[in-house]
Amino acid sequence: MRAGLRALTSRGRSFLASGVAALLMAFLLGENDLFRIGLLVAALPLLAALVVARTRYRLSCARRLSPARAEAGGEATVTLRLENVTRLPTGLLLIEDTVPYALGVRARFVLDRVEPRGVREIDYRVRSDLRGRYPIGPLSVRIADPFGLVELARSFTITDTLVVTPKVVPLPHVRLSGEWTGGGDSRTRSVAAAGDDDVAPREYRQGDDLRRVHWRSTARHGELMVRREEQQWQSRGALLLDTRKYAHRGEGPRSSFEVAVSAAASIGVHLSREGLGLRLVTDQGPEHLTDTGLSWSLLDTLAMVRGSSARSLEMGVSALRAGGGDGLIVAVLGSLDAEEARELARLRHSGITGVAVLLDVDTWNGQEPESSEEYRAVQTVLAGYGWRIVRLPAGVSIASVWQDAGSRGRYALSGGSSS
């Protein structure tokens, strides 16, 4: 009953106060009819509170996101499934799912009645222009009486996460495979001759041959493990993303920083699909990517990338140099000076293809492309060391300029080395 009284709405409190006032006036004036009216008005919210408080609904809730990952600017559908697991029908239910402000307006619904063992499914859409990981939930259910005098809230604890990834655009095929085989030659190496204890097992995946189950490792790890009968040598590459705040211009989804993240995502997915083993590096150092589902791991990581306060690419260049074994380096760069460009350019040597995606960040301020002397100086330095230059001004898609990544020595100086 206490819970019911605390759940009185403004209307319920008004009814109760009006009823009490009518009873007092009836007592003072000796009006029996007013006494009956006051008793009815005061009793109505109390009865509603008693009924709602004694209601023992048991509801189960499930939520499904389709898709669980959405590109920035894309939509996802959230499906709520409510089931009344009792033998009693429910009354009026007010449902609200907790949705972050960036995904849109609040998701509120009204269910008039759910029959015993009944199921209701509710769909709503969410959309975000901003990358990130957004929790959806928990779901709250308000039990109300038909007169709107009492609302009693119940909440579920389950939440789901929607990952909003950078926008990925398909890129045209550019012949780079001949230049980035330095990290491997796509040969197959057999380990069948190794002893049983020397085999490096991995977790079982759907479709694996059960004859490859490694029982000793299964017993040790507590989950099904299979032998690696053969290991694939894979070409390797590195993707450098410049996340320094001062190196970019603009705000919001159309800023040069967001364009750089989208370009890195498009390039990374494109190269991964062509079989390149990729690692991601920012000006803060290396980022961890899982071995399986590389494209999804890359997108999940880039979904959470934020601008850094660093003023130099030193940590990123050091991480590239320490990693080694790369046949291809793709650098997506904001504003940088000639000295920073020279430090980066020295990473390229024989057997490595270097591709620099240079964002002309001054065009985000309305200037003409390549109007900055510093921008032209950076091009000259990188081209002098044999890097391939892909210019990316404001308003231009990476897909329309990616062909320049296959142009050998297009910007190379007469005295510089050619890739």
Side-chain angles (χ1 to χ4, degrees), residues 25 56-57 97 100 135 152 158 172 243 250 254 286 332-333 383:
M25 292 303 296
R56 291 294 182 264
Y57 297 144
D97 206 11
L152 196 60
I158 185 173
T243 66
R254 296 185 180 180
V332 182
L333 304 168

Side-chain angles (χ1 to χ4, degrees), residues 333-391:
L333 304 168
S335 174
L336 68 162
D337 57 35
E339 184 58 34
E340 291 174 330
R342 189 170 292 107
E343 290 298 319
L344 175 65
R346 289 170 180 166
L347 292 176
R348 186 203 166 274
H349 53 76
S350 178
I352 295 181
T353 299
V355 178
V357 180
L358 290 179
L359 275 75
D360 194 349
V361 296
D362 291 329
T363 60
W364 269 263
N365 292 331
Q367 298 184 23
E368 293 296 324
E370 296 188 272
S371 60
S372 169
E373 292 185 4
E374 187 176 76
Y375 186 83
R376 292 195 295 270
V378 169
Q379 288 188 63
T380 301
V381 170
L382 291 172
Y385 281 85
W387 284 67
R388 305 178 184 187
I389 310 298
V390 179
R391 295 173 296 168

Side-chain angles (χ1 to χ4, degrees), residues 30-111:
E31 291 288 342
N32 293 332
D33 292 338
L34 183 59
F35 180 83
R36 296 187 187 96
I37 294 173
L39 186 62
L40 175 62
V41 173
L44 190 59
L46 296 177
L47 291 174
L50 179 63
V51 171
V52 171
R54 290 176 62 86
T55 300
R56 291 294 182 264
Y57 297 144
R58 291 182 58 198
L59 301 173
S60 67
C61 170
R63 184 186 296 103
R64 183 175 68 251
L65 303 180
S66 180
R69 292 181 179 88
E71 284 190 359
E75 287 189 342
T77 300
V78 182
T79 301
L80 295 173
R81 187 179 188 274
L82 280 174
E83 181 180 0
N84 180 12
V85 298
T86 65
R87 297 180 180 179
L88 297 175
T90 70
L92 186 66
L93 300 179
L94 307 177
I95 300 171
E96 180 176 348
D97 206 11
T98 304
V99 177
Y101 177 77
L103 296 184
V105 298
R106 294 181 178 180
R108 292 178 173 177
F109 308 94
V110 177
L111 292 182

Side-chain angles (χ1 to χ4, degrees), residues 11 36 103 105 109 127-128 181 195 242 313 333 368 392:
R11 181 184 299 179
R36 296 187 187 96
L103 296 184
V105 298
F109 308 94
R127 180 181 183 275
S128 177
T181 55
D242 184 0
L313 286 174
L333 304 168
E368 293 296 324
L392 187 59

